[in-house]
């Protein structure tokens, strides 16, 4: 059995609002079961990501960012700052299960239920409309984007490259989340492309929406 210190660290940036980040995060939890990997969770924000290009976005997406994107990340960053980054993994699982699998959406009620499930105080909801921890949110977001570059979304993962330094990617975008050996194969492939200097992207048009199972 490997100790935590021997496990390969994977840094994962997510916005709980994003269904594709949710799918990728469930894949990474499967990878933890079949490879010596430890996921370290970080917060990014779709609202911050898109704030300087709102005029380019469809009206429906702009409205979603304005009305649904800020509250959940404000509560999550407050949880991180007041209770430590180790709470993020369980909180994200509780949030994503409600928002995506159960179809509750990024509502205040869904976030309240997630906080209760993981034993965090309901008082964190006081940050729903607050900006106390916005500098920390923006710093976490910037850390991920600085690693991967511009013109990407969430999720961002950073994995070991050829020289031991981390290589960050947007994605992988996958549905449904692979399990067991399929999860391991995708992970092994991710490490493989990360080991090739000059590799940047593989992409095709999505023809299927997120499959939550």
């Amino acid at each position: 059995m490997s100790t935590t210190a021997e496990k390969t660290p994977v840094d994962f940036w997510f916005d709980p609002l994003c269904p594709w980040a949710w799918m990728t995060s469930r894949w990474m939890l499967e990878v933890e079961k079949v490879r010596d990997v430890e996921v370290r969770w970080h917060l990014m924000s779709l609202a911050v990501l898109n704030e300087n290009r709102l005029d380019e976005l469809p009206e429906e997406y702009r409205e979603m960012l304005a009305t649904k994107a800020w509250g959940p990340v404000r509560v999550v960053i407050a949880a991180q700052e007041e209770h430590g980054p180790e709470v993020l993994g369980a909180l994200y699982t509780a949030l994503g299960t409600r928002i995506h699998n159960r179809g509750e959406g990024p509502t205040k009620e869904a976030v309240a239920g997630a906080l209760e499930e993981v034993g965090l105080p309901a008082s964190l909801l006081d940050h729903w409309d607050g900006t106390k921890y916005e500098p920390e949110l923006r710093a976490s977001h910037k850390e991920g984007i600085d690693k991967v570059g511009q013109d990407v979304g969430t999720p961002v993962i950073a994995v070991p490259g050829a020289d031991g330094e981390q290589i960050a990617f947007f994605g992988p975008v996958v549905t449904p989340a692979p399990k067991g050996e399929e999860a391991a194969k995708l992970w092994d492939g991710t490490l493989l492309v990360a080991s090739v200097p000059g590799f940047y992207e593989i992409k095709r048009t999505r023809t299927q929406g997120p499959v939550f199972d």
Side-chain angles (χ1 to χ4, degrees):
M1 178 68 69
S2 297
T3 65
T4 299
E6 295 171 331
K7 293 186 176 182
T8 300
V10 182
D11 289 290
F12 190 111
W13 281 264
F14 69 93
D15 184 322
L17 186 63
C18 178
W20 296 106
W22 174 244
M23 302 300 297
T24 307
S25 73
R26 300 309 94 183
W27 162 65
M28 279 309 313
L29 291 186
E30 284 292 313
V31 174
E32 282 191 321
K33 299 175 184 177
V34 293
R35 293 290 186 267
D36 288 332
V37 167
E38 178 189 23
V39 182
R40 302 183 298 201
W41 303 98
H42 309 272
L43 200 60
M44 63 185 297
S45 167
L46 289 171
V48 173
L49 181 70
N50 291 287
E51 64 185 352
N52 293 322
R53 60 187 195 97
L54 291 175
D55 292 343
E56 305 170 17
L57 302 176
E59 181 178 354
E60 182 179 357
Y61 194 75
R62 292 201 305 271
E63 182 179 357
M64 181 275 293
L65 292 176
T67 60
K68 299 179 179 180
W70 282 107
V73 293
R74 285 169 171 162
V75 173
V76 174
I77 197 66
Q80 173 187 295
E81 294 303 305
E82 296 182 8
H83 299 275
E86 62 273 11
V87 305
L88 289 186
L91 180 56
Y92 183 27
T93 290
L95 280 171
T97 300
R98 285 169 169 75
I99 292 171
H100 303 297
N101 292 61
R102 298 182 187 174
E104 297 178 23
T107 63
K108 205 168 187 178
E109 293 75 17
V111 176
L115 291 174
E116 182 179 8
E117 179 180 332
V118 299
L120 290 170
S123 59
L124 287 168
L125 284 173
D126 295 342
H127 296 279
W128 185 269
D129 294 311
T131 59
K132 179 179 179 180
Y133 295 116
E134 187 167 327
E136 290 80 4
L137 171 62
R138 289 180 177 274
S140 179
H141 176 90
K142 183 177 184 297
E143 182 185 12
I145 292 298
D146 283 351
K147 285 180 178 291
V148 74
Q150 303 300 315
D151 301 318
V152 300
T154 174
V156 170
I157 65 170
V159 304
D163 57 3
E165 294 188 10
Q166 280 192 322
I167 301 295
F169 296 113
F170 161 60
V173 176
V174 62
T175 185
K179 295 179 173 58
E181 186 56 28
E182 290 298 314
K185 287 164 57 178
L186 180 56
W187 169 250
D188 294 342
T190 301
L191 289 184
L192 178 61
V193 297
S195 73
V196 178
F199 174 84
Y200 289 98
E201 70 177 288
I202 296 174
K203 189 171 184 178
R204 63 173 177 160
T205 300
R206 292 195 299 265
T207 59
Q208 184 178 16
V211 177
F212 306 123
D213 54 7

